[in-house]
Amino acid sequence: MIKLIGVVIVIAGLLFRFNPLLVVLAAGFATGLVAGMSPLEILSAIGQAFVTNRYMSLLVLVLPVIGVLERFGLREKAEDIIRSMKTLTAGRVMFVYQLFRQVTVGLGLQLGGHPSFIRPIIAPMTEAAAAREGVSNAGWLDRIRGMSASAENYGNFFGQLIFPAAGGLLLIKGVMENAGYKVDLLVMSQYAIPSAIAASAIALARFLLLDRAIRAAGKNKGGDRG
Amino acid sequence: MNVTLDQIYAVTGVFLLIFTVLTLTDKKQSGKWGTAAFWGLYGISFIWGKEIPPAVVGGMVVVMALIAGAKWMGTGDYLSATAEFRRKMADKYGMWLFGPALAVPLVTFLVAWLAPKMGALIGLGIGSIVGLVLAFLLTRVMPVQAFQEGRRMLDAVGWAIILSQFLAALGFLFDKAGVGKVVAEMVSAVVPVDVRLATVIAYCVGMALFTMVMGNAFAAFAVITTGIGIPLVVKLHGADPAIAGVIAMLSGYCGTLMTPMAANFNVVPAALLEMSDKNGVIRAQVMTAVPLLIVNICLMYFLAFPGK
């Protein structure tokens, strides 16, 4: 029971809105201590895992490219494009991107991401589409940006396990084989497909509802575009 | 050409040290010393992570968490362009601006596909460099300004960028302490384990909830599969481990959609998009995640027990 102290600390720490880094650190130390590790061993374990998992933060490398392109009008240009595509609504832009992301990641291609696609391209496109309906106040912008960011996550999460060499599948294989069960990567990748289709369908419904809400909000304001 | 992941890490570290220097020389930077120390330590962990004793890295990590917790990090003056300049440049360069942006994923893909030994992570590193070089050639911007723009975006994200690495470390400690076994005992005490559907729900909902706590479906998978999946769903009720395993992981991803602990997917994008509501991305995702979790429970129940 006492071994669950780390879980308790994480839940309580987040609930009381402490900085997540401090919460995780406290949980790690508490868990290590009840497992009988010395503070130095815990520090070593944290340091080792931190270094091993550096690949999770490689997005640092992409920032200067995107930053420079933004300085030279990338966002403005993306907005120009959507303004020229008069029929594409915000929700449809999101769905097309989500589908593209799901299909490509399912083929094992990492084409996408919040810093490289959502911020410079998809978010400005959806914002411009909403502005055409006369919807551009701060509350709506937040809602539209949140939905744009979600399209990336839906596509990424519910497409990636269709690729037979996906990291997630390799982890499942590892855990199952540790326990003495042989599993086949190709079988697993096939059984990721039904969830992928369900995710797409639910996301499509959400995006179309968003379009309806934007249209209604635009109409309510009548001629007032301020 | 053969590039190693260590070389990509070294380049990342150099970027971070450049950001550190720019922070220190920025007269308008708020929280100057905290910000500089944070990115400096982070850069060091990228360049010399393997050479420095793990306990020392652990100590650096603790210092970084304290800096973030004490709110000693701030933003600076990045000598950014005015809206008029951006508008003028957008008209001047037009569609060419998308070239360097698309070069990053394109190179990533080409490397992953044509040089599978290097893989996508190294591809991303090479792609970023190629994209940056193309951006230099296209815009003729001063290199130092490129790093100012990069620093602008990094400061906007802030400490959240290292949360995933923190969670991986936490999962490692959970594993060492044997948290999984304790979970199994507790679930058996609450769930009617004779009922197949009850164990399936426990496995899928357990994955979602634990992923929300850990912020990472991979870390949760090891704990919940050893604790619930294998003893109750696979052993007791004879589920196919491959099918149950993959659907459990996808249930975990439903949890990922609903937690601020998954900083890279939910909190960092909210910061990148400059949303006023830090939980705005999660708010958008909950109404998709809950129905999808129910679908996954049904899928596991109907698909993972062939002929039973």
Side-chain angles (χ1 to χ4, degrees):
Chain A
M1 247 348 247
I2 185 77
K3 283 185 176 165
L4 293 184
I5 188 163
V7 181
V8 174
I9 292 177
V10 170
I11 294 170
L14 291 182
L15 213 58
F16 289 106
R17 296 178 182 270
F18 286 113
N19 182 295
L21 296 184
L22 290 178
V23 172
V24 169
L25 201 62
F29 263 92
T31 304
L33 287 175
V34 299
M37 296 166 78
S38 75
L40 200 65
E41 282 172 332
I42 297 170
L43 269 188
S44 289
I46 291 173
Q48 191 193 332
F50 191 79
V51 167
T52 311
N53 291 286
R54 282 175 296 181
Y55 67 88
M56 292 177 169
S57 308
L58 279 181
L59 83 92
V60 170
L61 281 169
V62 189
L63 297 179
V65 191
I66 304 301
V68 168
L69 295 173
E70 286 193 359
R71 181 183 182 84
F72 288 88
L74 184 68
R75 284 176 68 90
E76 283 73 8
K77 196 64 217 170
E79 288 169 30
D80 290 352
I81 293 173
I82 184 66
R83 284 197 190 94
S84 72
M85 289 196 281
K86 294 208 165 68
T87 53
L88 226 47
T89 58
R92 284 181 191 172
V93 170
M94 293 172 195
F95 184 68
V96 168
Y97 176 78
Q98 186 244 317
L99 214 55
F100 153 84
R101 181 78 165 111
Q102 206 170 17
V103 168
T104 50
V105 80
L107 296 171
L109 319 180
Q110 274 296 341
L111 293 172
H114 292 108
S116 47
F117 266 81
I118 300 299
R119 164 147 180 162
I121 299 164
I122 302 303
M125 282 174 78
T126 53
E127 284 166 33
R132 276 201 316 270
E133 304 278 350
V135 173
S136 60
N137 69 46
W140 271 101
L141 277 190
D142 253 29
R143 188 163 160 197
I144 290 162
R145 287 174 182 178
M147 291 288 274
S148 297
S150 78
E152 156 70 25
N153 286 338
Y154 301 151
N156 179 14
F157 295 174
F158 299 101
Q160 58 175 258
L161 297 188
I162 297 172
F163 184 55
L169 294 187
L170 293 174
L171 179 76
I172 298 171
K173 190 178 163 73
V175 171
M176 289 299 180
E177 291 190 349
N178 267 342
Y181 294 97
K182 260 197 111 50
V183 295
D184 184 50
L185 288 171
L186 218 55
V187 169
M188 288 198 281
S189 73
Q190 284 161 10
Y191 279 91
I193 295 175
S195 285
I197 294 170
S200 254
I202 296 171
L204 176 62
R206 299 282 320 279
F207 294 147
L208 292 180
L209 284 175
L210 176 75
D211 273 348
R212 266 175 75 173
I214 290 174
R215 218 169 302 133
K219 276 199 187 119
N220 275 344
K221 280 205 296 189
D224 172 27
R225 300 232 153 180
Chain B
M1 189 176 68
N2 189 29
V3 179
T4 66
L5 197 52
D6 281 329
Q7 288 167 334
I8 299 298
Y9 287 151
V11 174
T12 311
V14 169
F15 276 28
L16 285 163
L17 293 186
I18 294 172
F19 296 147
T20 309
V21 173
L22 292 175
T23 302
L24 285 172
T25 53
D26 182 345
K27 289 197 179 79
K28 290 182 188 157
Q29 175 80 36
S30 65
K32 180 187 279 196
W33 293 104
T35 311
F38 192 93
W39 299 130
L41 286 171
Y42 198 34
I44 289 168
S45 82
F46 266 99
I47 302 178
W48 295 289
K50 274 191 182 159
E51 283 77 24
I52 300 172
V56 177
V57 179
M60 289 160 47
V61 167
V62 171
V63 172
M64 289 167 78
L66 292 176
I67 291 171
K71 299 198 168 86
W72 284 338
M73 296 176 77
T75 53
D77 174 16
Y78 313 103
L79 312 173
S80 296
T82 60
E84 295 84 50
F85 178 83
R86 290 201 305 271
R87 181 66 257 171
K88 226 173 88 188
M89 291 299 122
D91 293 333
K92 179 178 168 190
Y93 292 111
M95 296 301 283
W96 289 103
L97 287 167
F98 291 101
L102 290 174
V104 179
L106 189 68
V107 171
T108 306
F109 153 59
L110 285 175
V111 170
W113 210 245
L114 300 176
K117 273 186 189 157
M118 289 204 270
L121 288 172
I122 293 174
L124 176 69
I126 299 173
S128 303
I129 306 299
V130 171
L132 191 57
V133 170
L134 290 176
F136 282 146
L137 292 176
L138 178 69
T139 65
R140 311 263 162 198
V141 70
M142 296 279 288
V144 72
Q145 188 57 41
F147 287 99
Q148 289 285 17
E149 303 291 345
R151 185 169 74 95
R152 167 173 65 82
M153 299 189 74
L154 187 64
D155 280 348
V157 177
W159 54 261
I161 200 154
I162 69 167
L163 187 53
S164 299
Q165 282 176 260
F166 260 60
L167 289 163
L170 182 64
F172 187 61
L173 283 164
F174 274 14
D175 192 42
K176 281 198 157 186
V179 173
K181 206 176 155 201
V182 184
V183 173
E185 285 161 12
M186 285 180 57
V187 170
S188 309
V190 190
V191 173
V193 291
D194 298 335
V195 184
R196 180 189 292 175
L197 182 61
T199 61
V200 167
I201 292 173
Y203 191 18
C204 293
V205 174
M207 270 302 296
L209 287 179
F210 222 67
T211 300
M212 289 173 73
V213 172
M214 309 271 291
N216 185 326
F218 285 14
F221 186 80
V223 175
I224 297 296
T225 298
T226 351
I228 304 175
I230 289 170
L232 301 182
V233 181
V234 174
K235 259 193 201 145
L236 193 62
H237 290 286
D240 182 314
I243 303 170
V246 71
I247 297 174
M249 184 66 92
L250 290 162
S251 303
Y253 290 175
C254 293
T256 312
L257 293 174
M258 297 188 282
T259 175
M261 297 304 281
N264 269 358
F265 301 112
N266 299 331
V267 183
V268 174
L272 267 177
L273 292 169
E274 289 162 44
M275 293 166 60
S276 55
D277 179 1
K278 264 201 303 192
N279 291 320
V281 177
I282 296 168
R283 222 174 285 275
Q285 289 171 167
V286 171
M287 284 304 289
T288 302
V290 172
L292 195 52
L293 180 60
I294 295 169
V295 169
N296 276 315
I297 291 170
C298 297
L299 286 172
M300 190 186 288
Y301 186 71
F302 289 114
L303 296 178
F305 301 89
K308 284 182 185 155

